[in-house]
Amino acid sequence: MRSFHSFAIVPAAGHSTRMGRPKLLLPWRGQPLIVPTLGAWRASRVEQVVVVVRPGDEALAQVVRSCGAVALVPAAPPLDMKASVQAGLEWLREACRPAPDDAFLVAPADMPRLSTAVIDRLLATYATLQRPQIVVPTLQGRQGHPVLFPWSLAAEVATLPAGEGLRMLVERHSPQRVACDDVVAAGDDPFLDLDTPQDYARWLAESGGK
């Protein structure tokens, strides 16, 4: 079994353009939408959770800190999700000094059903691999988030061409896909993300939210 440290990077610096309002602070059972997402991360075996927040978004930064995560506010707004991940990697490189076999996991911030069990399944799988590999979860054959990357690939994020995200990094290397159907409750979809008002309304209706 491989011994390693693990870190989560949660990009949360977007403008919620399709939602039309700051979606990560939308109410869900009396708390901001991002709270259950961060709760899943904090309940997992991941050791450090870094949330990249847009400069000036102090309300979100305060919620992130209240959940026990690091609110990383870059000097300039990240241009896209990849830039947010790069900012998180740079912070971790300085603060935590990861080793090549350590791991960082990435998932969007707007995943209210993010599963602690799926996160821990990725970490457990990574520990058993003969060599460090990207680990991707699947449900009924569908790939989703989070995705686990060996720290040895962190430097490659900066080399990705403009307009290409971390998906290209997954395609460039041979990922280990791990089925997570047995750790997810029937009918649940931890890969769900929220982009539009329709997504939010549907999720509230399905979840019995208010």
Side-chain angles (χ1 to χ4, degrees), residues 8 22 25 31 38 48 58 64 78 80 91-92 94 103 120 123 125 128 155 177-178 189 192 198 203:
L25 297 178
Q31 60 187 3
L38 296 182
Q48 184 70 275
E58 184 56 29
V64 168
D80 53 20
W91 186 91
L92 287 168
E94 293 298 320
D120 287 345
L123 294 171
T125 299
T128 66
R177 294 175 175 82
V178 54
D189 185 2
L192 173 77
Q198 292 75 23
W203 180 65

Side-chain angles (χ1 to χ4, degrees), residues 41 104-108 111 113-126 129 133-149 170 175-184 189-192:
W41 280 117
F104 66 97
L105 295 85
V106 178
M111 295 182 65
R113 291 177 173 167
L114 182 70
S115 168
T116 296
V118 169
I119 297 168
D120 287 345
R121 170 62 61 84
L122 298 183
L123 294 171
T125 299
Y126 184 69
L129 298 178
Q133 284 179 271
I134 296 172
V135 185
V136 180
T138 67
L139 290 173
Q140 298 181 351
R142 293 184 299 124
Q143 293 187 181
H145 288 94
V147 176
L148 181 152
F149 298 87
V170 175
Q176 177 71 40
R177 294 175 175 82
V178 54
C180 297
D181 303 82
D182 60 317
V183 298
V184 173
D189 185 2
F191 295 168
L192 173 77

Side-chain angles (χ1 to χ4, degrees), residues 19 193-204:
M19 185 65 73
D193 62 358
L194 302 178
D195 290 322
T196 67
Q198 292 75 23
D199 292 339
Y200 178 56
R202 182 172 59 251
W203 180 65
L204 286 178

